[in-house]
Amino acid sequence: MGFVPALVDGDVVVSDSLAIVMYLEEKYPQRPLLPPDLHKRAINYQVESIVVVFFSLTNSQAVSIVSSSIQPLQNLTVLKLIEEKINPEEKSAWLNNVIGKGFQALEKLLVGCSGKYATGDEVFLADLFLAPQIHGAITRFQIDMGPYPTLEKCYEAYKGLSEFQDAVPEKQPDAPSLP
């Protein structure tokens, strides 16, 4: 599709965030990305869906394509399109509105089940989708995390993990410059 991410594993090329995550889940089952508790497993799927719904402009596409290939609040193509259509103040208001709605839904979902991370004291699927959204909201769009204490707590925990810090866009050698 010409978008990132893509995983190259020998002769296998997998594109799409969700497909990559599930490929890695099956290839490396010793470090599961889904908790054994059925309720927390469902919450992990809900987090991925909320990220897709609130952080995408094209909800009619398949969930897996939207969650990895579009990611409009992280995608320069969509941001440029928005900039062509509206002025900077409207863009800022739009971003704050969309991020705020998504974060409100996530906060409500996670407030009763989070531990150190989104659904407990281990990193699971939900954290893989939350971390980049929160990072982008804070670093690119200066979103105040005060109204979202559960998400803020998770983000602080992510910042303590070298795996998450090594994955931020600013550290990727092929990442385009972000506005």
Side-chain angles (χ1 to χ4, degrees), residues 31-53:
R31 177 90 169 140
L33 293 173
L34 292 167
D37 177 89
L38 189 58
H39 178 245
K40 288 188 177 185
R41 187 179 286 243
I43 290 171
N44 273 265
Y45 289 129
Q46 284 178 281
V47 166
E48 189 270 341
S49 293
I50 289 170
V51 167
V52 168
V53 170

Side-chain angles (χ1 to χ4, degrees), residues 1-6 15-16 68-69 75 77:
M1 291 181 60
F3 292 113
V4 293
S15 63
D16 176 85
S68 70
S69 302
N75 187 307
T77 304

Side-chain angles (χ1 to χ4, degrees), residues 54-120:
F54 283 101
F55 300 107
S56 69
L57 294 174
T58 313
N59 293 328
S60 63
Q61 295 187 19
V63 167
S64 60
I65 292 174
V66 173
S67 69
S68 70
S69 302
I70 297 174
Q71 293 287 340
L73 299 182
Q74 307 293 334
N75 187 307
L76 294 177
T77 304
V78 175
L79 288 175
K80 287 178 185 173
L81 175 66
I82 291 168
E83 288 171 353
E84 291 173 7
K85 303 292 181 189
I86 60 178
N87 66 46
E89 294 80 28
E90 290 172 319
K91 174 187 164 193
S92 179
W94 180 82
L95 288 168
N96 279 297
N97 181 51
V98 173
I99 293 171
K101 284 182 179 179
F103 280 5
Q104 286 170 7
L106 290 165
E107 185 73 21
K108 189 175 185 178
L109 177 66
L110 298 176
V111 73
C113 69
S114 70
K116 185 175 182 180
Y117 305 108
T119 57

